[in-house]
Amino acid sequence: MYNIDIVFFCEGYYLEGAVRSMTEINLKEIDGILVPGYQVASGLATDSPYTEGTIAIQSPYFLKEGLDLSFCYSGTLNIDIEYEFSLSFPDFEFKDIKWAEYFPSESFSFFKCFVFNGNTWQIGYIYYPHPDTKLGHFQKRTVIEIVTAKIEHIHYGDPLTIKVESSTLTWV
């Protein structure tokens, strides 16, 4: 067995804390379909109080705690993977983030992943607002939200593949 250093890069950005030595790389590949979300994360929802989008508003709080999402589009990809899942061992976890003035604090977890859109793999994070601290806009239990660099020419219904460390996602 060889030790392999894994460094995650995306569009020239180095992801802080993303270097690891592993004797074995064990990634789980998951196929899904891009589905519409509430468009609150991106700020495109017409009925949202967050015209900038929640990701843009939350990102400075995450950066202050060590997670730089500057390479990411300020929105999420919502990928329906058909089966319910649970997530474990986040790469970043933030408790009680008070990011909106008139709403209670929320907690978030982020899990490194890769997304394949049929042409190329790119790095991203599974974005997981903890349901017990979230007020609304709950996703279907088979939908994974991902923040990553903008993907051009992508449409609802397109197939996408995600790769995550095997211990991150388990089927329920």
Side-chain angles (χ1 to χ4, degrees), residues 12-128:
Y13 290 91
Y14 167 70
L15 298 182
E16 194 65 40
V19 177
R20 288 181 282 214
S21 288
M22 304 173 115
T23 54
E24 203 172 297
I25 301 170
N26 194 7
L27 297 175
K28 182 180 292 188
E29 192 169 299
I30 304 157
D31 293 322
I33 300 293
L34 184 66
V35 295
Y38 295 100
Q39 296 188 319
V40 174
S42 63
L44 297 175
T46 56
D47 60 345
S48 173
Y50 315 109
T51 55
E52 302 169 61
T54 59
I55 300 294
I57 297 168
Q58 294 164 357
S59 288
Y61 294 93
F62 302 143
L63 180 59
K64 184 178 172 186
E65 299 296 323
L67 175 60
D68 184 356
L69 296 177
S70 62
F71 73 92
C72 294
Y73 172 73
S74 288
T76 60
L77 295 175
N78 298 282
I79 303 171
D80 193 328
I81 61 171
E82 197 176 337
Y83 301 100
E84 292 185 20
F85 59 92
S86 67
L87 296 166
S88 304
F89 311 112
D91 293 286
F92 294 92
E93 188 167 37
F94 308 110
K95 301 257 187 213
D96 300 319
I97 301 293
K98 181 74 173 149
W99 64 272
E101 185 177 355
Y102 301 108
F103 296 102
S105 299
E106 282 187 76
S107 296
F108 302 87
S109 293
F110 290 85
F111 307 81
K112 290 183 190 98
C113 68
F114 297 94
V115 182
F116 185 71
N117 68 353
N119 295 318
T120 182
W121 286 100
Q122 61 188 57
I123 188 71
Y125 289 98
I126 295 172
Y127 167 79
Y128 185 72

